[in-house]
Amino acid sequence: QRPRCFLFFLFLAICGAGVLLAAPKSQLPAKYVAWLNQEVPYIITNGEKDAFLALKTDADREAFIQKFWEIRNPDPNSPTNEFRDEYYRRLAYANDHYGSPGRHDGWRTDRGMVYITLGPPQQLTPYPSSQYLTPLEIWFYQSPSPNHALPPFFYVVFYQRSLNEDYKLYSPFLDKPERLVQSTNAVNDE
């Protein structure tokens, strides 16, 4: 009987601690929640996010956001921040072209994520329908410089599992080639 009571109180303590830890996030004004979760989720570091969530005033949050963009500015002497401007242009494009129409949730999609982080592909080849393959899009990227962290050139493949779903990022390792096959007539051997 005692071990059960102890486990019950331990469970309540853990749940209570979770509620207490979640309280500051829920008190965050909506515009800052949107900034964290919809505007910069792909480029903010965990440390930056934790520091932002620890701030107590909106003035501190505004200063943080300004500093966040300043450190990413490729030319601090420029009157405009090219990185921020390009980032928001990509975000707007992703919201307008991917995701649910009228919901501005394109940033949540796999294509939106890739577009926001890598920019527009140098080439985009759609394969909307094929006898044996699921609908595909193949995006070609070329690294802007040899010192860049990315390979000199690479492809990103998106596929549509079903006509009701958005395109997903294809992984040859996780999805396997079978995921791209649409027909039982097509025999595919790894």
Side-chain angles (χ1 to χ4, degrees), residues 9-111:
F9 285 115
L10 180 63
F11 174 76
L12 287 177
I14 290 171
C15 289
V19 168
L20 288 175
L21 290 174
K25 281 187 185 178
S26 65
Q27 294 173 359
L28 196 61
K31 82 179 224 180
Y32 299 115
V33 171
W35 184 78
L36 274 177
N37 298 328
Q38 297 174 17
E39 293 181 31
V40 296
Y42 304 126
I43 61 170
I44 192 167
T45 66
N46 289 337
E48 288 172 326
K49 188 173 186 176
D50 291 342
F52 185 79
L53 290 171
L55 298 172
K56 303 292 184 213
T57 69
D58 289 352
D60 289 342
R61 292 179 187 107
E62 290 296 329
F64 180 96
I65 291 170
Q66 184 169 343
K67 190 69 171 169
F68 176 87
W69 291 117
E70 281 177 12
I71 61 174
R72 288 163 172 80
N73 189 354
D75 183 5
N77 298 322
S78 173
T80 61
N81 185 330
E82 289 179 32
F83 180 87
R84 181 189 60 219
D85 295 348
E86 174 63 12
Y87 184 84
Y88 278 110
R89 188 198 64 71
R90 291 178 187 180
L91 180 64
Y93 183 90
N95 283 333
D96 290 343
H97 291 84
Y98 309 119
S100 305
R103 293 192 52 203
H104 297 291
D105 63 349
W107 65 271
R108 289 180 192 257
T109 66
D110 288 356
R111 290 184 298 170

Side-chain angles (χ1 to χ4, degrees), residues 44-190:
I44 192 167
T45 66
N46 289 337
E48 288 172 326
K49 188 173 186 176
D50 291 342
F52 185 79
L53 290 171
L55 298 172
K56 303 292 184 213
T57 69
D58 289 352
D60 289 342
R61 292 179 187 107
E62 290 296 329
F64 180 96
I65 291 170
Q66 184 169 343
K67 190 69 171 169
F68 176 87
W69 291 117
E70 281 177 12
I71 61 174
R72 288 163 172 80
N73 189 354
D75 183 5
N77 298 322
S78 173
T80 61
N81 185 330
E82 289 179 32
F83 180 87
R84 181 189 60 219
D85 295 348
E86 174 63 12
Y87 184 84
Y88 278 110
R89 188 198 64 71
R90 291 178 187 180
L91 180 64
Y93 183 90
N95 283 333
D96 290 343
H97 291 84
Y98 309 119
S100 305
R103 293 192 52 203
H104 297 291
D105 63 349
W107 65 271
R108 289 180 192 257
T109 66
D110 288 356
R111 290 184 298 170
M113 175 194 62
V114 171
Y115 190 91
I116 291 167
T117 55
L118 297 178
Q122 277 77 23
Q123 292 179 357
L124 187 155
T125 307
Y127 296 94
S129 62
S130 172
Q131 185 176 2
Y132 299 119
L133 295 177
T134 62
L136 299 171
E137 278 190 8
I138 301 175
W139 295 12
F140 173 76
Y141 284 95
Q142 189 167 357
S143 185
S145 69
N147 298 330
H148 206 268
L150 297 172
F153 58 89
F154 58 97
Y155 293 92
V156 180
V157 177
F158 299 97
Y159 71 104
Q160 203 172 17
R161 292 181 186 172
S162 73
L163 294 178
N164 297 331
E165 293 183 66
D166 194 40
Y167 283 81
K168 300 291 180 197
L169 187 59
Y170 172 73
S171 166
F173 178 72
L174 296 175
D175 295 319
K176 307 284 187 208
E178 293 83 23
R179 192 62 105 159
L180 301 178
V181 177
Q182 183 170 308
S183 170
T184 56
N185 294 334
V187 177
N188 196 358
D189 187 343
E190 278 189 50

